[in-house]
Amino acid sequence: MDRDYWEELLTEKEQAKGYTDGFKLLFCPWRLIDTADTLFLSLNPGNDPSGELMRIASDERGNSYLVKREAKHSPMADQYRQLCQFVEKDPEEVLAGALMPFRTAKWDKNRDRQNISVARPFWRQVLAAGKIRRVFCMGREVENEVVASTKAKLQRQLPANWGNLTIRRYTTENDIQIFGLLHFSTYKMFGRAECIPQLAKLLNINHVT
């Protein structure tokens, strides 16, 4: 896939769709499309506090959650690092991105849900390529889209130990594992001790005591 094509397309669509705060499709270098076996997929990017990289198809500096900058990291940065440590994955080698690439201060389902379609061909191509073997979905909106796209089947559902919320694992016909987690920007699962055993069960991790 061509980075310039997507940057041009998103520039055009931002104006056409009525967005004004920019876009970001990948929170990592473009090269990871060809090498990563793990996908971390969030809903959409918030505003860039630095104001430096408002309109980019990918972050060529490295993983956006890890890059040092003067502005404060997103609320998910620490949760992302902890997830990668939990699953023993190099955080710089994970394909990280947004289902709906246009920046908003807050998700508005009446406005934003329909615009998931803009990047849908991109994500379907990524998932169909066969490189990605594991997908971490941030929230039900992302989970539902990935499950519908891959026709994955539910394998397990567990209480998240956060109110009455649940987390899920799905498997596709070609054995891609899809994990439907709570959105880390709202639910900091790695900051809540009660969630850790449930995550371990869902991810089949045995090193957690």
Side-chain angles (χ1 to χ4, degrees):
M1 285 186 282
D2 185 73
R3 182 178 187 268
D4 290 340
Y5 166 82
W6 278 99
E7 204 152 279
E8 291 172 10
L9 178 67
L10 293 175
T11 299
E12 173 191 324
K13 292 293 186 181
E14 180 191 8
Q15 183 175 9
K17 299 291 186 179
Y19 292 97
T20 59
D21 293 328
F23 56 80
K24 184 189 281 190
L25 180 59
L26 292 183
F27 302 164
C28 63
W30 195 262
R31 66 170 179 81
L32 288 172
I33 294 172
D34 296 322
T35 61
D37 62 9
T38 300
L39 170 62
F40 180 88
L41 192 56
S42 190
L43 187 54
N44 78 306
N47 292 328
D48 178 8
S50 71
E52 297 174 353
L53 298 167
M54 295 297 289
R55 291 173 173 84
I56 55 174
S58 60
D59 195 336
E60 296 305 305
R61 303 169 301 170
N63 188 287
S64 301
Y65 297 123
L66 306 175
V67 172
K68 292 181 180 178
R69 59 190 185 191
E70 292 183 6
K72 186 179 179 181
H73 275 201
S74 81
M76 288 209 297
D78 186 57
Q79 294 291 297
Y80 172 78
R81 287 193 294 268
Q82 290 193 65
L83 172 65
C84 290
Q85 183 178 11
F86 196 67
V87 300
E88 299 179 328
K89 186 70 184 175
D90 182 348
E92 292 284 10
E93 295 303 319
V94 173
L95 185 66
L99 183 69
M100 200 289 285
F102 301 112
R103 296 182 183 277
T104 62
K106 185 178 180 181
W107 180 262
D108 181 339
K109 66 179 182 180
N110 293 325
R111 174 196 63 192
D112 300 327
R113 181 179 286 167
Q114 61 186 324
N115 293 317
I116 290 173
S117 64
V118 173
R120 184 174 286 142
F122 174 87
W123 290 118
R124 285 188 172 175
Q125 190 171 345
V126 166
L127 291 166
K131 298 279 188 181
I132 297 297
R133 310 309 304 160
R134 180 169 56 178
V135 183
F136 295 103
C137 302
M138 292 291 96
R140 288 302 290 263
E141 198 85 55
V142 177
E143 177 185 334
N144 290 343
E145 178 72 15
V146 172
V147 168
S149 177
T150 60
K151 297 181 172 58
K153 303 298 183 185
L154 181 65
Q155 298 295 314
R156 191 169 190 184
Q157 178 169 283
L158 294 170
N161 285 354
W162 199 314
N164 61 356
L165 299 174
T166 57
I167 51 179
R168 287 153 299 282
R169 181 177 72 238
Y170 303 81
T171 305
T172 69
E173 285 187 353
N174 57 342
D175 293 324
I176 298 174
Q177 299 285 300
I178 297 166
F179 301 98
L181 305 181
L182 308 185
H183 199 303
F184 288 167
S185 66
T186 303
Y187 302 97
K188 296 176 177 60
M189 298 189 75
F190 286 98
R192 185 180 175 90
E194 296 90 340
C195 295
I196 304 302
Q198 302 305 94
L199 287 166
K201 290 176 186 175
L202 192 73
L203 276 57
N204 288 326
I205 291 174
N206 298 317
H207 61 74
V208 176
T209 56

